[in-house]
Amino acid sequence: MFFASDNWAGAHRSIAERLLMESTGFAAAYGAGDLDKKVEARFSEIFEREVSVFFVATGTAANSLSLASVQRPGGITFCHSQAHVIEDECGAPEFFSGSARLSAVDGEAGKIDPAKLVAKIAGFPEDAVRQGRASAVTITQATEIGTVYSLPEIGEIAAIARNRSLPLHMDGARFANALVALGATPAEMTWKRGVDMLSFGGTKNGCWCAEAIVFFNPDRAREMPFIRKRAAQLFSKSRFIAAQFDAYFENGLWLDLARHSNGMADRLRAGIAISNAARLAWPTASNEVFAVVSKHAAKTAEEKGAKFYEWPTPTATPELVSERETLIRLVTSFATTEADVDGFLKCLAA
């Protein structure tokens, strides 16, 4: 009953086997091999246009280097107040961009409020030397609290960014989960809605260590080879990242894994909705579930082996959790089974 994080899950067998296949023989290094080029071309097929792709090791690297590539002196990047880039990356986006700042924008359901974004951007006029100047906007899809931006919502944020000529970045650590939740295509959820750059995550969805930075306009990517090298993210044996993506994309495996993960979260949501010892904290659509449970039920579940994280009560809704309750986060993965879910729900009923 491992629900602490999808990062706790291992690698899917097909991906592990593909890595093993690639472990023998020789191939050109630093992204110059045939497999690297094959996978880069596959990204272009998936997104229905020519894209520039840069493999990196972590989501933090993907986010930080993406934002670094569009920063200017005095630059400000706008993100949701709960975004991973501002809450959980130890200042890496600021560090790799040369101390560019992140400006938090509030919004319900983990999403940037468009009106508040307009107001926040307006606070940094182009000629305001003292305040700094707007440089980029980043959104998280799926969000940190399990919700998903709809296609029109992405388009609305993109239009606001475009009005100030700001590039729009998408943190897609759980890109596949959001994609299948919407029933959209990769193109529809990104560049067709105005997204300029994407941190494409595979690690949370069955890969061992596979993340990529995707530029939907290759002209914007001219500085990235130097930025990536300077950040120590240019792997000599990059074919081992490419191998993971090769297996990940084969026969739609990446989408199947995300559907399974989301399906297990749906099973959790349905069970919690009818539980006497728990309730859903808010609606979610991806593979993250947030529940308010009695402290007794949470302790019982932990004693029986369940792994999950307690979550801070949102400051905007302090009444959500009573003194006898606790808020928890449950994350499913490609490796979650129905037995895992049912076992956890049984613990709640104990």
Side-chain angles (χ1 to χ4, degrees), residues 1-3 261 263-272 332 336-348:
M1 298 183 289
F2 292 97
F3 300 107
S261 178
M264 293 298 97
D266 287 339
R267 193 178 184 92
L268 263 178
R269 283 185 276 263
I272 291 170
T332 56
T336 304
T337 67
E338 291 184 358
D340 295 331
V341 173
D342 294 346
F344 177 78
L345 295 173
K346 187 177 179 179
C347 289
L348 295 183

Side-chain angles (χ1 to χ4, degrees), residues 246-268:
D246 191 36
Y248 190 58
F249 292 141
E250 188 172 2
N251 298 321
L253 176 64
W254 67 298
L255 300 176
D256 290 340
L257 297 181
R259 290 189 187 99
H260 174 83
S261 178
N262 285 10
M264 293 298 97
D266 287 339
R267 193 178 184 92
L268 263 178

Side-chain angles (χ1 to χ4, degrees), residues 19-36:
L19 277 169
L20 184 62
M21 288 173 56
E22 194 60 30
S23 66
T24 60
F26 293 80
Y30 298 107
D34 292 340
L35 182 57
D36 298 270

Side-chain angles (χ1 to χ4, degrees), residues 79-82 104-114 116 145 149:
C79 62
H80 191 270
S81 56
Q82 295 174 313
V105 184
D106 289 330
E108 295 183 0
K111 307 175 191 178
I112 290 176
D113 182 289
K116 292 180 180 178
I145 63 168
Y149 284 90

Side-chain angles (χ1 to χ4, degrees), residues 263-300:
M264 293 298 97
D266 287 339
R267 193 178 184 92
L268 263 178
R269 283 185 276 263
I272 291 170
I274 60 174
S275 171
N276 292 324
R279 64 183 183 279
L280 295 172
W282 52 77
T284 58
S286 64
N287 63 318
E288 290 185 283
V289 179
F290 292 81
V292 179
V293 303
S294 70
K295 291 181 178 179
H296 172 75
K299 182 179 180 181
T300 298

Side-chain angles (χ1 to χ4, degrees), residues 29 31 37 50 52 65 71 75 135 137 153 160 165 171 185 193 231 249 264-265 289-290 306 312 321 325-326 329:
K37 295 175 182 178
E50 180 185 358
S52 290
L65 302 189
Q71 286 306 323
S135 289
V137 177
E153 286 173 333
I160 294 169
S165 299
D171 176 355
T185 68
R193 295 291 165 172
F249 292 141
M264 293 298 97
V289 179
F290 292 81
V321 181
E325 297 174 322
T326 186
R329 186 190 74 165

